[in-house]
Amino acid sequence: MPEPEKIKLRRLHIGDVDAVFSLDRLSFTRPWSRDSYLEELGNNELARYIGFFDGERLIAFAGYWMIVDEGHIVNVAVHPDYRRLGWGELLMRRLITLCLADGGCRMTLEVRRHNTAGCRLY
């Protein structure tokens, strides 16, 4: 188990695209393309992404689009080695705080019915 004080949270940027893409591929059966993340992190003015890092290793990330006063969560992923340790919940709490700071008053997240981990976040 990682030492919590060594885990750092920060906003993600274009230089993180390979790490985000790799974690997405580990986490989902239908991952986004690398080009999609290039667009999200480099050009989408509505997109806000944050990630937890254990040293240089991205262990979890999430992103949302700020549309008027609503944050639409588009992706949440936690590295398999770090699952069931509370990082997903903490990541969601940080997203909510960020959305509120952006002027949001609600957030949405669509989860596939068979995604039990995602459903538990509700």
Side-chain angles (χ1 to χ4, degrees):
M1 182 167 147
E3 297 176 43
E5 63 274 2
K6 291 187 178 182
I7 305 294
K8 303 295 181 205
L9 176 71
R10 67 169 170 80
R11 284 198 180 209
L12 298 178
H13 52 76
I14 196 78
D16 298 311
V17 82
D18 289 329
V20 170
F21 177 63
S22 293
L23 183 49
D24 190 73
R25 291 185 67 195
L26 277 175
S27 300
F28 302 108
T29 55
R30 293 188 308 209
W32 286 17
S33 70
R34 186 175 185 282
D35 286 343
S36 293
Y37 283 114
L38 282 171
E39 181 65 27
E40 284 292 282
L41 297 174
N43 298 319
N44 185 349
E45 293 181 12
L46 301 175
R48 314 303 194 255
Y49 280 81
I50 57 174
F52 279 117
F53 288 82
D54 187 355
E56 297 296 313
R57 182 183 194 189
L58 178 66
I59 65 163
F61 77 90
Y64 70 95
W65 296 339
M66 191 66 196
I67 303 172
V68 186
D69 64 350
E70 181 175 298
H72 177 76
I73 301 170
V74 292
N75 252 334
V76 179
V78 178
H79 191 283
D81 294 344
Y82 294 80
R83 291 182 186 156
R84 305 204 63 160
L85 298 173
W87 295 111
E89 181 181 347
L90 187 55
L91 190 61
M92 293 298 293
R93 290 181 184 279
R94 299 299 170 113
L95 268 191
I96 292 166
T97 300
L98 186 58
C99 183
L100 288 170
D102 278 345
C105 57
R106 71 178 117 321
M107 294 189 87
T108 61
L109 169 64
E110 293 181 24
V111 178
R112 291 185 185 98
R113 188 176 309 146
H114 70 275
N115 182 347
T116 54
C119 291
R120 276 195 303 262
L121 282 174
Y122 277 99

